[in-house]
Amino acid sequence: MLISELSERSGTPAATIKYYVREGLLPAGERIGGNRTLYGDEHERRLRLIRAMLEVGKLSIASVKSVLEALDEPDAPLAHTFDVAQQALSRSAVPDVAEPSPEALARVDALTARAGWADCDDNIGRQIAARVIDAFANAGFPLPDDYLDRYAAAARAHAEADLAAVGAIQDPSRMTELMVVGTVLGDTLSLGLRRIAQAVVTNERRSS
């Protein structure tokens, strides 16, 4: 397909497509003479992935590029690509506050121990969770352990859903792409459903 058709099918302006090519996010199309360039279905799929990361995941161009490079790395283990995607997405989610306190980090470690989660020390989520625990405490609302335990249980359920969806795909390349998309969009989906659930539970308690 020509760039005009790719633009129409993907909902991406032609100038933006050319920009993504210049930035190394999108592979160049095949030159067929003059200014005519052909693009394939893989370009359309990659464009949708790029836009999901930029527009919904709110990643920077540099972060998107790092994720795509990991995605394109031949024979890269799924865990490696997943780690790169997690790191890229999580950097934008880290609250812009001071480093987490030792007390908050200790509480996160105790939480993961109660949940039976091993090898969490290097996961960026440890820093994020500790910063949030500090922020709650600084706002005058220290979080009790049972609150944290229930959040951990919900997080486990989300992770099980993510990995079940990935495992249902046979094509390894598509499996990796879904893993990246799920990492980027899963947090946003969780946020939307949490808002709905909060409203529903609030109304149920009012009427009980």
Side-chain angles (χ1 to χ4, degrees):
M1 73 186 86
L2 296 176
I3 193 170
S4 56
E5 184 180 354
L6 177 62
S7 173
E8 182 178 353
R9 287 175 56 171
S10 67
T12 308
T16 302
I17 294 173
K18 293 178 181 178
Y19 170 70
Y20 291 159
V21 171
R22 289 196 304 271
E23 291 295 316
L25 304 181
L26 187 70
E30 178 186 357
R31 289 279 186 179
I32 58 173
N35 292 324
R36 290 161 59 85
T37 303
L38 284 181
Y39 298 89
D41 292 339
E42 68 278 5
H43 289 92
E44 181 182 358
R45 191 169 67 232
R46 175 58 65 92
L47 271 174
R48 296 186 187 282
L49 178 59
I50 291 168
R51 292 188 62 183
M53 289 191 282
L54 288 172
E55 297 172 10
V56 181
K58 305 300 182 185
L59 302 188
S60 67
I61 289 290
S63 293
V64 170
K65 191 172 184 178
S66 70
V67 173
L68 294 176
E69 286 173 350
L71 194 64
D72 293 336
E73 187 177 333
D75 302 321
L78 186 65
H80 168 69
T81 310
F82 185 50
D83 181 62
V84 172
Q86 270 200 327
Q87 295 288 334
L89 179 63
S90 299
R91 277 193 291 270
S92 64
V94 175
D96 187 18
V97 295
E99 288 296 308
S101 68
E103 293 78 14
L105 288 170
R107 291 200 67 197
V108 175
D109 292 340
L111 170 63
T112 57
R114 290 195 302 274
W117 299 349
D119 302 322
C120 300
D121 289 353
D122 295 332
N123 192 290
I124 194 170
R126 179 173 180 263
Q127 298 285 322
I128 296 173
R131 282 182 167 96
V132 172
I133 289 172
D134 278 336
F136 267 98
N138 292 336
F141 298 98
L143 297 177
D145 285 346
D146 67 316
Y147 181 98
L148 296 175
D149 290 339
R150 294 175 76 176
Y151 259 78
R156 176 66 185 235
H158 292 167
E160 295 285 0
D162 292 340
L163 272 296
V166 170
I169 295 179
Q170 300 300 316
D171 182 348
S173 63
R174 292 290 289 160
M175 180 186 295
T176 307
E177 287 180 4
L178 175 59
M179 182 265 316
V180 172
V181 171
T183 301
V184 173
L185 302 185
D187 288 347
T188 306
L189 174 62
S190 177
L191 174 63
L193 293 177
R194 181 168 172 255
R195 293 291 183 269
I196 296 171
Q198 285 173 331
V200 169
V201 172
T202 299
N203 290 334
E204 288 175 348
R205 293 191 175 187
R206 283 175 179 169
S207 59
S208 62

